[in-house]
Amino acid sequence: MEEEVDEVVAAGLSNVKPRAVVEPLALSSSGEKPSNPGRILYLNRHFQQAAKEIADALLQSRSPLIITSYLGKNQDAVSALVSLSETLAIPVIISCPSVVNMPHNHPHLTEVSFGFGESRFVRTADTILIIDCDVPFIPVHNKPKASARIFHVDVDVLKNSIGAFDLAAEMFCRADACLALSQIRDCIPSELPEAIQQVIADRKEQLLAHHLGRLSRLDTAELHVESKHIMVPHLIGCLRRAIPVPESTLFLIEAISNYPLVWEHLRPEFPGSAIASGSSALGWGLGASIGASLAGGPGTDRNLDLIVLVVGDGSFLFGVPSTAFWMARRYNTVRPFLADDLNC
């Protein structure tokens, strides 16, 4: 019973708003630290000490890695992630994205993952920073080395709604992603030893080579067209190139089975320019398109020129298109939206 009480207390305390002071959190009702040996939970207001430890680990790492899923909900966090990644040449994996977390044309973005296939970066990393992410990897497909140091920073680091959630991290931090990344970056000295500078320079070259190879593979896939079928990479590549003003276009993605292909080939570059539902419910897309059209019209901050829904055929039907398009006409949505139905 005491363990359940400790968990409830931790969940309540983890809602503390961002502040920057240092001190480990005592979770136990008896005043003791967490029962898991070697694991410390920090709150936002205690994060500075954790930031220093994470920064030191990344500095000393030969193969660091950052994994995120929804950090881009706060668009300011995207630039903070790019800054940290560029400072130390850290590769970034986007796992099961629901928003744009990093520009897809950035050479440090190594892959968009939905848990399947082999990931060399996950398997070889010696230090992993997981930030705002529910499923960073699936161990049966990709498992970090036993010696890898794992740090987990999240707005909901306890994941009480996920029954078997356990990342085997040495440190869990309940913190705002933008604040956390900025503090980690601030802990990195402006002048680094030559040996570390050389490691960073070598890693940057390797990441650029990987990036160019990845773009080449994506371009080749988009050129492939079977005689009887339009392939998803080709269709999404054509759609991406046809968008006249990408920075004032919003993509809503409910492609389900084709999520990996759509995110890879859409290649969104601007924070806030692509959104997926982030939940298990189907039929979200059509209603979301109408809502985005009403919220992003003239006089709003977004002032969108175009809203594009990329949707699977089943999700399109679950969205009750007759009702959805009636609502669009009834409320006179002032921004046009295009529904791209992937019937495959």
Side-chain angles (χ1 to χ4, degrees):
M1 183 64 181
E2 183 178 348
E3 187 176 332
E4 283 79 1
V5 172
D6 289 346
E7 188 172 339
V8 171
V9 171
L13 289 175
S14 67
N15 289 322
V16 176
K17 297 298 180 184
R19 306 203 36 182
V21 210
V22 185
E23 195 178 325
L25 170 67
L27 289 184
S28 173
S29 55
S30 61
E32 298 176 356
K33 293 210 182 143
S35 56
N36 293 328
R39 299 186 182 189
I40 301 174
L41 177 64
Y42 286 86
L43 297 180
N44 282 310
R45 62 195 179 103
H46 305 153
F47 188 71
Q48 189 64 44
Q49 178 181 331
K52 180 67 167 64
E53 186 170 341
I54 295 171
D56 288 344
L58 293 172
L59 267 172
Q60 301 303 321
S61 173
R62 304 286 298 186
S63 300
L65 178 63
I66 298 174
I67 306 177
T68 187
S69 295
Y70 47 83
L71 168 153
K73 285 183 182 178
N74 177 357
Q75 295 181 24
D76 292 335
V78 176
S79 57
L81 173 62
V82 169
S83 176
L84 178 60
S85 175
E86 290 180 344
T87 300
L88 297 180
I90 304 175
V92 176
I93 290 178
I94 308 300
S95 177
C96 306
S98 56
V99 290
V100 179
N101 299 288
M102 191 175 195
H104 280 233
N105 60 351
H106 197 288
H108 294 183
L109 196 159
T110 59
E111 61 184 83
V112 177
S113 170
F114 280 80
F116 305 102
E118 180 178 331
S119 174
R120 172 174 61 87
F121 292 95
V122 172
R123 296 184 181 194
T124 61
D126 55 20
T127 303
I128 304 176
L129 172 59
I130 299 169
I131 184 162
D132 279 6
C133 183
D134 294 338
V135 186
F137 45 78
I138 297 177
V140 71
H141 297 296
N142 293 290
K143 189 173 183 178
K145 297 188 298 186
S147 60
R149 302 186 67 185
I150 300 177
F151 301 90
H152 185 204
V153 179
D154 203 296
V155 291
D156 177 22
V157 76
L158 298 175
K159 307 291 183 190
N160 288 326
S161 62
I162 303 178
F165 185 84
D166 186 5
L167 293 179
E170 68 178 74
M171 183 184 295
F172 295 87
C173 304
R174 197 314 184 166
D176 173 80
C178 186
L179 174 67
L181 289 167
S182 299
Q183 289 186 331
I184 293 169
R185 172 64 185 82
D186 290 344
C187 290
I188 298 170
S190 56
E191 296 292 333
L192 298 174
E194 286 189 15
I196 292 181
Q197 290 185 39
Q198 187 59 53
V199 170
I200 293 172
D202 292 344
R203 200 157 55 223
K204 187 171 291 188
E205 287 185 11
Q206 294 167 8
L207 287 174
L208 179 58
H210 175 85
H211 174 70
L212 295 176
R214 177 173 174 265
L215 288 184
S216 177
R217 290 190 296 274
L218 292 176
D219 290 341
T220 300
E222 290 175 9
L223 293 174
H224 178 67
V225 181
E226 291 187 359
S227 57
K228 295 183 179 179
H229 303 283
I230 298 176
M231 308 302 288
V232 173
H234 177 71
L235 176 62
I236 299 301
C238 290
L239 176 63
R240 184 189 72 248
R241 290 186 290 271
I243 299 299
V245 189
E247 56 268 34
S248 60
T249 299
L250 175 64
F251 288 96
L252 301 173
I253 304 172
E254 196 179 17
I256 312 304
S257 300
N258 286 298
Y259 264 142
L261 291 175
V262 171
W263 277 101
E264 284 271 38
H265 292 278
L266 201 55
R267 310 185 204 180
E269 299 178 15
F270 303 96
S273 64
I275 302 173
S277 68
S279 73
S280 58
L282 302 182
W284 160 85
L286 283 172
S289 300
I290 296 168
S293 182
L294 292 171
T300 68
D301 293 337
R302 292 302 302 271
N303 196 23
L304 297 167
D305 288 326
L306 178 65
I307 295 164
V308 180
L309 170 64
V310 182
V311 62
D313 53 346
S315 294
F316 180 80
L317 293 175
F318 289 150
V320 192
S322 57
T323 301
F325 287 113
W326 180 90
M327 289 171 58
R329 182 173 180 178
R330 170 66 178 80
Y331 292 101
N332 190 28
T333 54
V334 291
R335 297 290 92 181
F337 75 83
L338 167 67
D340 186 358
D341 187 351
L342 302 177
N343 185 11
C344 20

